[in-house]
Amino acid sequence: MSKIQHRNLYREVADRIRELIEHGELPPGERISEKQLCETFGVSRTPLREALKVLASEGLVELLPNRGARVMQLTVKMVKDTYDLMGALEGLSGELACQQISDEGIVAICQLHEQMLEHYRNREMQPYFAVNRQIHESILAAANNEVLEEMYNNLSYRVKRVRYSKKMTDAFWRQAVNDHEMMIVALKARDGKRLGQILRDHLCHKLEVVTLAGVIEDDELINAANG
Amino acid sequence: MSKIQHRNLYREVADRIRELIEHGELPPGERISEKQLCETFGVSRTPLREALKVLASEGLVELLPNRGARVMQLTVKMVKDTYDLMGALEGLSGELACQQISDEGIVAICQLHEQMLEHYRNREMQPYFAVNRQIHESILAAANNEVLEEMYNNLSYRVKRVRYSKKMTDAFWRQAVNDHEMMIVALKARDGKRLGQILRDHLCHKLEVVTLAGVIEDDELINAANG
DNA sequence: AAAAGGTATTATGAATTCATAATTCCGGCA
DNA sequence: TGCCGGAATTATGAATTCATAATACCTTTT
C-alpha cells in the first residue's frame, strides 16, 4: 500500500525551486518565467506564484512588481552580512548547547571531532568538510532551539550556492582545526560563554567571504546590471 | 495629483493581517476564515491565500493542510527561544555598530541615553520604553547589516503581542539602566566585543520571559488544546 | 435517547479566466 | 540608417470557477 502524500503543491514547488537555485540551474539574476516553470512542474500558475512569494520572503527570490521574479542576486556585502549573522547564531547555538547537551551528546561530538582530525591529517578535504558540517549541525541541534535552527537553515540556504566555490589554504585549514580543538575543550567543560565566543569568531565564515571577493560581483556592478 | 500606489495586493493584505495579529484582533489559536477575511478586505481569495502563505513562512500563522489557517499559538518555550535569539542578534548589532558607527552617531545615542535616564529618574515608564527602543533601533541601524535588521524585525513581530503584557519591577528597571550605562561606555570606547556581550546578556529579554510564564500557556496545555 | 451512517453543505486547493501592465514588433518619419 | 510611436503580443495580477476534502446535519437503528 503506497503512502498517499498530501503535501501542498506550493510547498512541493517551493522545494523544487530551492533546489534549482541551490544547484545553479536557475542562476542568480536570472529572470524566472512563470509559464516555463509551470510547464516544467506540470502545475498551474496559482501554486507556483504562491511558492515564489514564500521564496521571496525567504530571501531566495526577488519579486519585481508587474515584472515577474528573478533569482536573488547576492552581492559581496550581502554574503558578508549573512556570514556575520550565521556566526552570531552559531555562537548562540554553542552557548545553549553547553547548557542543554547530554553527556552522551558531548561524547558523540568528540568522536566526530576525532574523525575530522583524521581526515585533516590525511588531507581528505571532502570528508573533512562533511564531518565538520556534522559537528556544527550537532551543536545546533543540541541547542534545542527550533527558532534558531529555522533561521540558521534559512540563512544557510541563501548562501549555499556560493559555498561551493570556497577555497581552503593550508594555513586557514590549520587555523580552523585549531579553533575546533578549542571548541571541544570548551564543550567538555560546558563553558558556554567560551564556546560561544569561539564559534562567533570561527574563521570559516570570514575566510569564505574573502575568497569570494572575486567570485561574486560587487555592489556597483550588480546595480549596473540591474539598470 | 494623488500618488498611485501599485503595491501588490498580497503585501497589503499581509500587512493588514500582521496588524490584526499584533493588536490581538485575531487572537492566538484563532481559526482564520478565508471567506470572512476576504470580505473584510474586499479582495478575492487569491491574494489572501498568498498573504497567508507568506505569514506562515514568517512564523505568524500556522497552516493546517486542507483545514485552513490559524494564528500561531506561542508557547513559553517558543517565546524563550525567540528572546534568546534576539539577544544574540542584538549582541551582533552592538559589535558591528562599534565598527561602523560615525562619531555623530555615537553622540546621538548618548543624547538618547540621557533622555532615557531622565525618564527613569521621573519613573515615566512609557516614555522610558519609547526612548529605550530608539536606542536599540539606533544601534541596530548603525550595524549596517540589512539581513540582520530584517531577521530581527521578523522575530520582533512574532513576539510583539506578548510584549504588551510585560511588567517592570523596580529592581529589574535599575539593572536595565545599569546595563545601559555600561553599553554607553563600551560604545564610546568602540569596544565591540564588550558592547556585544552586554547586549547579549541584557536582561530585558530574560525578564520578560519570566514574567510571561503565567500569561502564555505551557507546551502541554497548547498540545491538549490542539487535539 | 444515543450512536452510527450517509447525505448536504461548506471550506480549501488548484486550474482557469479575465483585466491590465509590460514588452515586442513593425511601420512611419527624420 | 536610426529613432520614435503605436499596435500586437506576451506576461503578470487578481477574480472566478471547478474539484475535492472536511464538516455539519439529518435520518436511521438499536
Side-chain angles (χ1 to χ4, degrees):
Chain A
M1 187 165 130
S2 76
K3 187 171 160 192
I4 299 169
Q5 191 84 8
H6 256 304
R7 291 189 60 207
N8 288 339
L9 218 38
Y10 88 98
R11 279 178 176 281
E12 216 89 52
V13 171
D15 291 347
R16 293 282 298 276
I17 298 177
R18 261 188 228 102
E19 283 174 26
L20 290 180
I21 293 176
E22 180 186 347
H23 295 102
E25 282 152 66
L26 283 174
E30 171 113 334
R31 176 96 176 265
I32 296 174
S33 161
E34 290 184 6
K35 210 176 93 181
Q36 191 181 323
L37 276 188
C38 284
E39 286 167 5
T40 307
F41 298 143
V43 300
S44 79
R45 280 174 58 218
T46 306
L48 181 89
R49 287 168 59 78
E50 290 170 349
L52 286 178
K53 274 153 183 89
V54 169
L55 292 171
S57 100
E58 290 174 7
L60 289 176
V61 153
E62 194 178 4
L63 294 180
L64 315 166
N66 283 317
R67 306 169 97 248
R70 61 171 55 176
V71 179
M72 181 64 82
Q73 176 78 276
L74 292 170
T75 64
V76 173
K77 173 159 170 33
M78 285 164 72
V79 176
K80 185 200 167 302
D81 286 355
T82 304
Y83 273 72
D84 282 347
L85 203 41
M86 290 174 78
L89 298 192
E90 287 219 36
L92 175 62
S93 77
E95 204 164 323
L96 295 174
C98 282
Q99 301 164 18
Q100 309 257 347
I101 197 169
S102 65
D103 291 338
E104 295 76 36
I106 293 180
V107 170
I109 289 179
C110 287
Q111 287 172 343
L112 286 173
H113 179 68
E114 291 304 324
Q115 278 182 42
M116 197 189 75
L117 288 183
E118 186 65 22
H119 291 311
Y120 170 63
R121 282 190 286 269
N122 300 338
R123 293 293 188 281
E124 297 159 347
M125 202 121 156
Q126 289 314 313
Y128 168 88
F129 278 125
V131 178
N132 183 315
R133 182 195 168 94
Q134 271 184 282
I135 292 173
H136 287 277
E137 278 175 0
S138 300
I139 293 174
L140 186 60
N144 185 33
N145 183 326
E146 281 160 40
V147 190
L148 166 60
E149 215 165 328
E150 179 199 325
M151 291 284 159
Y152 188 90
N153 287 333
N154 176 340
L155 292 177
S156 172
Y157 240 109
R158 294 192 196 198
V159 294
K160 225 167 219 174
R161 250 180 314 104
V162 307
R163 283 215 170 177
Y164 288 126
S165 53
K166 73 183 158 192
K167 288 194 196 90
M168 195 68 148
T169 73
D170 212 69
F172 279 128
W173 199 349
R174 196 174 30 177
Q175 176 63 44
V177 170
N178 193 46
D179 282 0
H180 272 262
E181 294 281 13
M182 295 193 296
M183 282 168 42
I184 292 295
V185 171
L187 180 65
K188 278 181 176 167
R190 289 182 183 274
D191 186 343
K193 295 271 176 219
R194 178 93 185 99
L195 180 56
Q197 194 190 340
I198 296 166
L199 278 165
R200 275 196 299 281
D201 298 337
H202 191 38
L203 79 159
C204 281
H205 301 134
K206 275 98 184 178
L207 151 71
E208 288 173 319
V209 172
V210 171
T211 63
L212 275 169
V215 179
I216 306 284
E217 296 136 65
D218 216 23
D219 285 356
E220 329 306 322
L221 290 177
I222 299 289
N223 290 338
N226 284 346
Chain B
M1 188 164 128
S2 76
K3 184 174 164 190
I4 299 169
Q5 191 83 8
H6 257 303
R7 289 188 62 204
N8 289 340
L9 218 38
Y10 88 98
R11 278 178 176 281
E12 214 90 50
V13 171
D15 291 347
R16 293 283 297 275
I17 298 177
R18 259 189 230 101
E19 283 173 27
L20 290 180
I21 293 177
E22 179 186 349
H23 295 102
E25 282 152 65
L26 283 175
E30 171 113 334
R31 176 97 176 262
I32 296 174
S33 162
E34 291 184 4
K35 209 177 95 181
Q36 192 182 323
L37 276 188
C38 284
E39 286 165 7
T40 306
F41 299 144
V43 300
S44 79
R45 281 175 58 220
T46 308
L48 182 89
R49 289 167 58 77
E50 289 170 350
L52 285 177
K53 273 152 184 93
V54 169
L55 292 171
S57 98
E58 289 175 8
L60 291 176
V61 153
E62 194 177 4
L63 295 180
L64 314 167
N66 282 319
R67 304 169 99 247
R70 62 169 55 175
V71 179
M72 181 64 82
Q73 178 77 276
L74 291 171
T75 65
V76 174
K77 175 159 167 36
M78 283 163 73
V79 176
K80 185 200 166 302
D81 286 355
T82 305
Y83 273 71
D84 281 347
L85 204 42
M86 288 174 79
L89 297 193
E90 288 220 35
L92 176 63
S93 76
E95 204 165 321
L96 294 174
C98 282
Q99 300 164 18
Q100 308 258 347
I101 197 169
S102 64
D103 291 338
E104 294 77 36
I106 294 181
V107 171
I109 289 179
C110 287
Q111 287 173 343
L112 286 173
H113 179 68
E114 291 304 324
Q115 277 183 41
M116 197 190 74
L117 288 183
E118 186 64 22
H119 292 310
Y120 170 62
R121 280 191 287 268
N122 301 340
R123 293 294 186 279
E124 296 160 346
M125 202 121 155
Q126 289 316 314
Y128 168 88
F129 278 125
V131 178
N132 182 314
R133 183 196 167 92
Q134 272 185 282
I135 291 173
H136 287 276
E137 278 175 0
S138 300
I139 293 174
L140 186 60
N144 185 33
N145 182 329
E146 279 159 41
V147 190
L148 166 60
E149 212 164 333
E150 178 201 325
M151 189 160 285
Y152 188 88
N153 288 332
N154 176 330
L155 293 175
S156 171
Y157 241 110
R158 295 192 193 200
V159 294
K160 225 168 217 175
R161 249 180 315 104
V162 307
R163 284 216 170 176
Y164 288 127
S165 53
K166 73 182 158 192
K167 289 195 195 87
M168 194 68 149
T169 72
D170 213 67
F172 278 127
W173 199 349
R174 197 174 23 166
Q175 176 63 46
V177 170
N178 193 45
D179 282 0
H180 272 261
E181 294 281 12
M182 294 192 298
M183 282 168 40
I184 291 296
V185 172
L187 181 65
K188 277 181 176 166
R190 289 182 183 273
D191 186 343
K193 295 272 175 218
R194 179 94 185 98
L195 180 56
Q197 195 190 339
I198 298 166
L199 278 165
R200 274 195 300 280
D201 298 337
H202 191 39
L203 80 158
C204 281
H205 300 134
K206 275 98 184 178
L207 151 72
E208 289 172 319
V209 171
V210 170
T211 64
L212 276 169
V215 178
I216 306 282
E217 295 136 64
D218 215 23
D219 286 354
E220 329 306 323
L221 291 178
I222 299 287
N223 289 338
N226 284 347

